[in-house]
Amino acid sequence: MNNILIKSATLIFPDHDKHGQIVDVWIDNGIIKDISLHGEKTYEQVTVIDGKNQYLAPGFFDMNANFGEPGLESKETLSSGCAAAVAGGFTGVAVQPNTNPALHSKGEIALVVNLSKDNLVSVYPVGAISKDRAGNDLAELYDMKLAGAVAFSNGNKSVQQAGLMSRALLYSKGFGGLVLSYAEDSSIANNAKMNEGIMSTYLGMKGNPNLAEELMVTRDLYLADYNDAPIHFSTISTRGSVELIRRAKRKGLKVTCDVAAHHLVLTDELVAEFDSNYKVNPPLRTLDDIEALKEGLQDGTIDAIVSQHTPHEIEFKKVEFEIAKNGIISLQTVFPLLLKAGLSLELIVQKLAINPRKILRLALPTLQIGDNANLVLFNPTESWTFDLNTNNSLSVNSPFYNTTLTGKVNLVVNNKKIYVV
């Protein structure tokens, strides 16, 4: 099915002259051959994809996905992670350095780049800020950049040493690198299991306060300002963090940030059943925090939305809540969750397809004759069941497993390859 006509789809493509209109798009071997208003032209000898009541947009891009390869392939391989990504509408993913060994030198970065070649989903490795992600010594940032790293992060281990973070910001600034900060003061979070608040008190569980995140956001904003360097905050989750970043943007700091999709719909009250699939980090917060995050998306304080896809083997999740690992698989559920959160389709496309690429300085998908197609076709009202038959991840740690979701991806095109449900 290399010669297709996507017929009668509504285009959501910012800055395109046919944005918001119903179009027919002809794609042959992954190349845009023609784009016209619906019914304006006729096409012969093509496979027709009915886009009625569906929307055609740039392929989604995830800035925060965890794949296990290298070293943790039983959680997720690059191949299975890409399969989950494409089913969720993603044509690009930035993979975190939470592997074994960590992605902390040019060797590991080159390995990921080479293993993920010729895939429909373009994979972009994120190099570790510190060697082994231990937070002590600066990793080979420039060498990793040359090998293909698009940014630098310590993954799910926040950099506790202010001096190390400051050097990372200053050094990467010199060659156009970007540091991603996962903001958590470990001395305040203190290995807590859930959000600190009414629910943690009720359950008698150690809580991780908003303060742990906000202290680190404050510190890293000061460091970025001092070094006149750009910084991006990954998976912010509190009202205070939103306000701190909002103020920093008003002051002119080079700061961007993202939020995980599940933090827009799930609250800490769900932990009451001790289902470890609700155990994530940052922890699920309160309804007040959710409202602040949505406000941040609307006013531009929060630039992007991510999956924070974190697969685990069953033995790490089907245990007591206290000892279960943090994280859920989420690449295939991001779009339905954003619809559930009440976000408009245009806002979703902006935060999930356009802005992530802008932040990482990657080329934006275009839709002109002769271009390589980079597209997703989705139906926001179609329901589907996330279960054994539809899950493409190797893992099943999701609170939405075996549930019906609304918002379905039906076609993805990228790298001259086509995925059709």
Side-chain angles (χ1 to χ4, degrees), residues 297-357:
L297 285 167
Q298 295 289 347
D299 69 16
T301 300
I302 300 177
D303 303 272
I305 298 168
V306 300
S307 74
Q308 203 187 23
H309 178 81
T310 307
H312 288 298
E313 302 91 336
I314 193 168
E315 59 264 30
F316 291 111
K317 291 298 276 188
K318 206 163 188 177
V319 293
E320 294 86 350
F321 193 92
E322 287 276 338
I323 62 174
K325 293 285 188 181
N326 291 308
I328 62 175
I329 58 169
S330 44
L331 279 164
Q332 290 181 241
T333 58
V334 168
F335 180 57
L337 289 192
L338 300 186
L339 293 173
K340 186 175 182 179
L343 304 188
S344 70
L345 295 179
E346 289 206 10
L347 187 65
I348 291 172
V349 169
Q350 192 68 45
K351 306 293 184 179
L352 203 57
I354 305 299
N355 287 1
R357 291 180 169 96

Side-chain angles (χ1 to χ4, degrees), residues 60 79-93 119-121 331-332 375-376 392 409-414 417-421:
F60 300 152
S79 178
S80 66
C82 285
V86 71
F90 293 92
T91 57
V93 292
N119 203 299
L120 187 152
V121 178
L331 279 164
Q332 290 181 241
L375 301 166
V376 57
N392 287 345
V409 169
N410 288 313
L411 178 141
V412 184
V413 186
N414 188 42
K417 300 179 187 296
I418 299 174
Y419 167 88
V420 181
V421 177

Side-chain angles (χ1 to χ4, degrees), residues 158-236:
S158 181
V159 177
Q160 300 300 303
Q161 291 187 24
L164 180 65
M165 178 59 90
S166 184
R167 289 191 294 277
L169 288 164
L170 181 61
Y171 182 49
S172 60
K173 165 191 168 183
F175 56 82
L178 176 65
V179 169
L180 314 181
S181 169
Y182 171 60
E184 181 182 85
D185 187 313
S186 61
S187 66
I188 300 294
N190 198 23
N191 200 31
K193 308 304 178 185
M194 66 174 296
N195 178 58
E196 181 183 272
I198 294 173
M199 187 53 62
S200 66
T201 303
Y202 171 72
L203 297 175
M205 293 180 66
K206 184 186 295 184
N208 180 344
N210 290 15
L211 179 66
E213 178 173 307
E214 292 157 14
L215 273 178
M216 198 60 82
V217 170
T218 301
R219 185 202 75 175
D220 287 352
L221 284 172
Y222 272 114
L223 292 176
D225 190 16
Y226 177 77
N227 290 291
D228 189 27
I231 190 168
H232 178 87
F233 289 96
S234 299
T235 62
I236 65 167

